[in-house]
Each structure stands twice: as structure tokens, then as C-alpha cells.
Amino acid sequence: MERLFQKSVQRCGICLDGSWTITYDPEGKGEGLGYAQGENLSGHAIYIPSCWNFDLDRYGYEGAAWYCKKFHVGRPVHGRLTFHAVSGQAEVFLDGKRLGEHYGSYNRFSFDVPGLSSGEHCLVVKVDNAVNETDTLPLRFVDWFVYGGIYRSVELEFFDALSIDTIKIDTAWDACEIAQVRVEAVVKNWAAGDILDDFTLSVDGIRYETVNATIETGKAGVIEFVIDDFRPELWDLDSPRLYMFHLGCSYDDLFERTGFRKVETRGTGIFLNGREIYIKGINRHNDQPELGYAVNGPLILRDMQIIKELGCNSIRGSHYPNDPIVLDYCDELGFLFWEEIAFWNHPAESLGSSLLEKRARQMMRETIERDYNHPSIIFWSIQNESKSSSQEGLTLFSKIAADIREMDTSRLITFASACGRNDICFDLVDVVCWNMYPGWYDDAPIEGLAERYAESLRGHRQWLEENGQHKPFIISEFGGGAIPGEVTFEKWRRWTENYQEELLRQTLTALTTDNLVQGFYIWQYCDGRTAFMTKVSLGRPRNFNNKGLVDEHRKPKLAFNTVRRILSEVPTYRSK
């Protein structure tokens, strides 16, 4: 399931989820053995979507594997084959013919298959989740688990003549009221000749405009609509109003959903629809212990409900583009979302890699194109904890920031810095964000932490002002680890639930006092696996990052209710 709503009425196709075969190829001999042609594949059954790490004896497997699926088509058609996410590098073959490749574990990608014949077809996908220490996203040493496999749905859509490929919805504002709505649709002509057709745009079932347009054969055309008299209700945290757009023609149709809101900064404030907001956020990995990345709809909804119960108004999709279903629920439930790419802790020596630049910029562009219409997204984040104090970082991050501004001026740009006052990239962003872990990655006693932290925040705010950064300031990570069930009378003993509870109580006290910051994101929502057998995982009890307010099975720790109580006393909107 790609979205929470039906995306077409006319469109037909095949869902290719279900039983496939998988053949592991640790020595990289599959090409020579004819695997791409579907020959000599000696693997076993595997269900898609899934991560191969839950195959017996494959928990830490890193490398190549070949997936194979046979399917039937009832009549000759034009087809589009879409993978909604494949871990790492994917190379796709249909009936022995190479369709292409894609890099990046978290976004969808498609291949057009014109003139697909009736009968049986053989689909083969080579997947390689290998990472290195230079130019992969992420690198080998990360604080989450890099799963492998085809972990979101695969579908083959059929078209006879025209396909409506995308709908992009933009707005022009007059103060805090929408003055105009602009809709841009990309339509492809699969037929042998030019096609003239009527294209009708409706919003929530009300027909607004019909455009007559010709789409040239073999090309994709752009159709534009402008609505001047549209006065929608605004999407807000308390009333997340959504509108369903529908574009139809004689051959195809497509639904897209959005909401209308304005996010901006004024001085050190962040404003949503003209009202200053305070970010009460939490970091969440899209991970589940029995499924890995292949988290399904019911479990995602459960997470959203727990986070809403906690009292948060924002979620950071750490540290990679999230499942569109996560974003759909954020749209529906009124969460603000921070979206970022899998750019985590890259050192200066890797930031000069041309291959890394290509991959990072591609991942960011794909993410914005895929998720542009989600009203919940207010931040595009360039990276997390990479060397933004280096000239190499400034050069690359400047390019990514420019790409974002070229594609989208309706949202704010940020990144999570671990370089503090040595950072030289703050001029690139609208909101300054720092990762800080007082009381955890230091030897200071827990007693008096709130006062020391508040004084530290005052110093950082002053430094930002003195260095030309009169901008909103957010603490994007803070927290401490607690092994589930480790409860003691000594609140000062680390790795206990008691210590985590006290640490968060004191840090939140500092963060929510005296308007020192414009918000925060607690690290983190749930415990999650760390990278397999690396220096990161070896420093984590259970090979988990244990800083979750709930454990990996979503059972609350002592800190959960303490945080919930504190957040309930912090208003979302700041008074003038």
C-alpha cells in the first residue's frame, strides 16, 4: 500500500507483492551464472515486501542478492514498473533485458515498459546493500541498522494511451490568505500518434476547470490549471484540513491530496499560518524489530497514536526519507514533519567525493518530488552530524541547499549540527539546529543539570546573535539511554530507566524556560537496532540505541509519563 487513499479509478495493473525467490550472491558471481536472465537461480521463497535480515542466518548479511518473480499479463499493454523502496543499489531486468538501476534505499523509482506482450514474464532484481566509509548513503558506521531487500511494495501499472504521472499543487499567498492555487500535471503519451483530449480538475468532488490539450506521441507534456477564487480552510495542528484533488481524462485519472498552510520565520520565531509555534518534537526511526524497514500501516498508525498521546506536535524522520504512509498520517493527525536524507556523520574527507555529491543531491531531489504535496512537512534537512565545520561540507551543503530552494520555496531549510560554534554552514539555513547531549556524553553529575544546561543555552543563543544568526534555534537531539526494565533506587546510575527519566526531566525544564529555544526533538521515540558489528553497535548494550521513551516493542519506560506531563504544560502557540 503506497498511500492511505485510492490514487486512481480508471487505472489497472498488478500488485507484485507476495512470494518471490531470493538467491544470495556473496561472491558476486551471479552475472556470469545467468541470474539476470532468470537462469540457475537456486534460491528459496521470500515474501515481498520484507527485509532479508529476517531470513534465517542472514541477520547481518551485507552484499548482493537476486530476487525473481514470474507473472502473467492478459493482453498487450504499456506498463510502468514501480518499486516503492529497495535497500541500497537495485538493478532491474525484465525477460533478460536490463531496464536500469537505482541507488538509494528510501525512495520509489520506476521504469517504463512500452509494448509489454501478453503471457508470462520473468522479473529479476539484483539488490546490493553494501556500504563503505566514503561515498554511500549512509556510511558503514551509522547508529541504525542498514537492512537489505525489497521492503516496500512493487507494482506494474497498465496504460493504453495517456498516463497522468504527477500532480504538483502550489499556492500564492496574500498575507495569511491564499490568493491563488496552481496545479501542474505531467501527462505521458504512450500511443503511436498525438492525442488531443480534455483534462478536468476537481477538488473534493467539485469540478473547477477543464483544459483541452494535445500530448505529442512518445513525450510527456505539462498541463497547468490556475484557480483564482479558491478560499480553502487552512491546514493547522488543531484542524488538519485536507483537500482531495482529482485530474481525469479519457484514458487515465489520478488523485492527489494536500492541505494549505504557510510556514515562515520572523526573527527568531517560527510561524504557522501567522501564529508563532513552539516545536515539541521527537525523533523516530521507521523500524520495527520483526520487520525492519518493512513497517506496515497498522504499526505506523500505532506509533502515531502513541506520539500523539505523548504530547508531541512534530516528528523528525530520522535519518532518511520515510514511508509515504507516515507522511499521510502526519497530514491527517496534524503533526509537523522534519524530512531529511540519509546523510549521517560524513567526515570531511568523504564530503569531497563526486559520487557522494551525485547520490546526495539525487536523493534530496527525489524526496522533494515525491513528498512535495504533504502539508505536514515544514523542514527539508540537508544532513545530520556531518562535518559542517569543513570547507568540503560548506561546498557540498551549499549545492544541496540551492537545489532545495530551486525546487521548493514554501518550506524551511535546516540541518542537525554536531559542530556547534565551529560550524560554518549556518548561513545556508532558515533554522539553526544543534544536537546536544548534556548529562549523557559527559562526566557531569545529574544534580544541577537543568541550571547548567540553561546557562549553556543562553551562551549559545548569544553566540548565534553575535555571529549574524538571528534565526530560530532548535535542539534537534538530546537524551540518554535506558535498558528496558533496568529500574533502580539510584537515579544517578546510567543506563537505568530512572536516570533517563531524571535526565529528560531536567533537560526539558531548561529547554522550556525563558524562551531560550524555539523547540526541540527528543532522541528518541523507540529503541532501535544499530549497525551490525561496527564500533557503533559495540558501544550499545543489546546492539540497540536504547534512548527510546518506549522500547523496540513500544512498551513505555519510566520517562514516557514524565515527558508527557511536561509537554502537556508547554503550549504549542506562543503568546504575543
Side-chain angles (χ1 to χ4, degrees), residues 313-353:
N313 60 24
S314 186
I315 298 171
R316 180 181 174 203
S318 46
H319 290 293
Y320 36 76
N322 269 218
D323 191 320
I325 293 177
V326 172
L327 302 176
D328 278 344
Y329 277 127
C330 287
D331 293 343
E332 292 183 0
L333 297 172
F335 283 114
L336 303 173
F337 195 80
W338 164 326
E339 184 147 56
E340 62 190 50
I341 59 175
F343 208 142
W344 190 90
N345 204 19
H346 283 66
E349 52 267 28
S350 77
L351 295 176
S353 163

Side-chain angles (χ1 to χ4, degrees), residues 181-403:
V181 174
R182 299 186 297 270
V183 178
E184 182 181 281
V186 175
V187 181
K188 178 174 180 177
N189 184 353
W190 300 74
D194 296 352
I195 294 179
L196 174 66
D197 203 3
D198 289 335
F199 297 86
T200 300
L201 178 69
S202 300
V203 183
D204 281 357
I206 300 173
R207 180 178 297 185
Y208 271 85
E209 187 177 1
T210 297
V211 172
N212 186 258
T214 298
I215 309 298
E216 297 181 35
T217 181
K219 295 183 178 181
V222 177
I223 300 174
E224 296 179 340
F225 300 84
V226 176
I227 306 175
D228 289 317
D229 57 348
F230 193 60
R231 292 292 183 266
E233 299 174 39
L234 297 184
W235 183 96
D236 216 323
L237 298 176
D238 301 323
S239 55
R241 177 68 160 90
L242 297 170
Y243 289 84
M244 186 67 73
F245 283 66
H246 178 260
L247 181 60
C249 67
S250 301
Y251 304 94
D252 192 26
D253 73 303
L254 187 65
F255 288 95
E256 182 57 283
R257 193 176 70 175
T258 195
F260 301 98
R261 87 287 175 271
K262 186 177 185 180
V263 58
E264 60 187 327
T265 63
R266 301 177 196 169
T268 60
I270 300 173
F271 290 78
L272 179 68
N273 301 330
R275 303 170 69 189
E276 187 175 1
I277 58 171
Y278 186 81
I279 301 292
K280 299 184 288 184
I282 197 158
N283 290 270
R284 175 188 174 273
H285 272 293
N286 199 49
D287 187 7
Q288 207 274 342
E290 283 79 30
L291 298 172
Y293 290 152
V295 186
N296 58 34
L299 292 175
I300 291 173
L301 176 57
R302 178 66 170 160
D303 280 356
M304 299 296 105
Q305 292 169 334
I306 293 172
I307 294 172
K308 181 68 76 170
E309 175 69 18
L310 182 63
C312 294
N313 60 24
S314 186
I315 298 171
R316 180 181 174 203
S318 46
H319 290 293
Y320 36 76
N322 269 218
D323 191 320
I325 293 177
V326 172
L327 302 176
D328 278 344
Y329 277 127
C330 287
D331 293 343
E332 292 183 0
L333 297 172
F335 283 114
L336 303 173
F337 195 80
W338 164 326
E339 184 147 56
E340 62 190 50
I341 59 175
F343 208 142
W344 190 90
N345 204 19
H346 283 66
E349 52 267 28
S350 77
L351 295 176
S353 163
S354 59
L355 179 57
L356 178 69
E357 176 184 331
K358 176 184 176 182
R359 287 172 166 174
R361 295 177 73 180
Q362 171 189 310
M363 187 177 289
M364 181 59 77
R365 286 192 295 266
E366 288 178 346
T367 302
I368 295 174
E369 288 172 356
R370 187 195 71 172
D371 297 335
Y372 189 88
N373 293 320
H374 287 282
S376 57
I377 298 174
I378 63 166
F379 296 130
W380 297 122
S381 178
I382 298 170
Q383 58 90 12
N384 178 77
E385 294 185 347
S386 295
K387 202 67 172 178
S388 47
S389 59
S390 68
Q391 189 60 47
E392 295 88 346
L394 178 60
T395 299
L396 178 51
F397 302 152
S398 296
K399 293 177 182 179
I400 298 174
D403 289 344

Side-chain angles (χ1 to χ4, degrees), residues 32 246 287 342 405 426 435 443 524:
H246 178 260
D287 187 7
R405 296 194 195 281
F426 289 147
N435 293 351
D443 297 326
Q524 61 180 333

Side-chain angles (χ1 to χ4, degrees), residues 10 12 95 117 223 262 296 320 323 415 458 530 535:
Q10 300 183 53
C12 297
D95 300 328
S117 63
I223 300 174
K262 186 177 185 180
N296 58 34
Y320 36 76
D323 191 320
F415 64 80
R458 292 187 188 96
T530 56
K535 63 183 180 183

Side-chain angles (χ1 to χ4, degrees), residues 59-263:
Y59 175 76
Y61 182 74
E62 180 184 319
W66 297 76
Y67 288 82
C68 182
K69 172 87 169 182
K70 293 184 178 180
F71 62 91
H72 288 81
V73 173
R75 62 180 178 86
V77 291
H78 305 298
R80 175 170 292 135
L81 180 63
T82 299
F83 296 83
H84 289 284
V86 177
S87 183
Q89 181 84 18
E91 194 171 5
V92 181
F93 305 85
L94 183 63
D95 300 328
K97 178 183 177 181
R98 186 179 184 275
L99 297 183
E101 65 181 4
H102 177 267
Y103 180 82
S105 299
Y106 307 101
N107 285 326
R108 67 168 179 245
F109 58 96
S110 300
F111 301 103
D112 288 349
V113 189
L116 189 63
S117 63
S118 61
E120 184 178 78
H121 297 273
C122 180
L123 175 60
V124 175
V125 186
K126 179 185 179 183
V127 180
D128 193 335
N129 72 331
V131 290
N132 60 38
E133 299 175 27
T134 305
D135 51 31
T136 56
L137 293 167
L139 297 177
R140 180 175 305 281
F141 300 117
V142 292
D143 202 4
W144 74 89
F145 198 94
V146 180
Y147 294 97
I150 303 173
Y151 68 90
R152 291 189 195 138
S153 289
V154 184
E155 61 179 333
L156 178 63
E157 296 174 295
F158 299 147
F159 305 102
D160 290 321
L162 298 179
S163 63
I164 302 173
D165 295 343
T166 62
I167 296 174
K168 180 183 178 183
I169 304 162
D170 267 319
T171 53
W173 290 79
D174 181 8
C176 283
E177 291 188 358
I178 290 177
Q180 189 181 79
V181 174
R182 299 186 297 270
V183 178
E184 182 181 281
V186 175
V187 181
K188 178 174 180 177
N189 184 353
W190 300 74
D194 296 352
I195 294 179
L196 174 66
D197 203 3
D198 289 335
F199 297 86
T200 300
L201 178 69
S202 300
V203 183
D204 281 357
I206 300 173
R207 180 178 297 185
Y208 271 85
E209 187 177 1
T210 297
V211 172
N212 186 258
T214 298
I215 309 298
E216 297 181 35
T217 181
K219 295 183 178 181
V222 177
I223 300 174
E224 296 179 340
F225 300 84
V226 176
I227 306 175
D228 289 317
D229 57 348
F230 193 60
R231 292 292 183 266
E233 299 174 39
L234 297 184
W235 183 96
D236 216 323
L237 298 176
D238 301 323
S239 55
R241 177 68 160 90
L242 297 170
Y243 289 84
M244 186 67 73
F245 283 66
H246 178 260
L247 181 60
C249 67
S250 301
Y251 304 94
D252 192 26
D253 73 303
L254 187 65
F255 288 95
E256 182 57 283
R257 193 176 70 175
T258 195
F260 301 98
R261 87 287 175 271
K262 186 177 185 180
V263 58

Side-chain angles (χ1 to χ4, degrees), residues 436-449 452 479-504 506-507 539-541 546-547 557:
M436 302 172 64
Y437 284 88
W440 190 249
Y441 296 117
D442 57 43
D443 297 326
I446 193 72
E447 291 80 5
L449 175 61
R452 295 195 306 273
I483 298 173
E486 189 70 14
V487 179
T488 178
F489 290 107
E490 299 88 15
K491 65 181 180 182
W492 48 263
R493 183 152 61 87
R494 300 197 183 201
W495 296 111
T496 65
E497 291 191 24
N498 310 76
Y499 186 88
Q500 181 194 47
E501 178 187 34
E502 180 62 14
L503 185 153
L504 287 171
Q506 294 208 39
T507 50
R540 303 290 194 208
N546 298 282
K547 296 186 182 72
K557 300 179 187 177

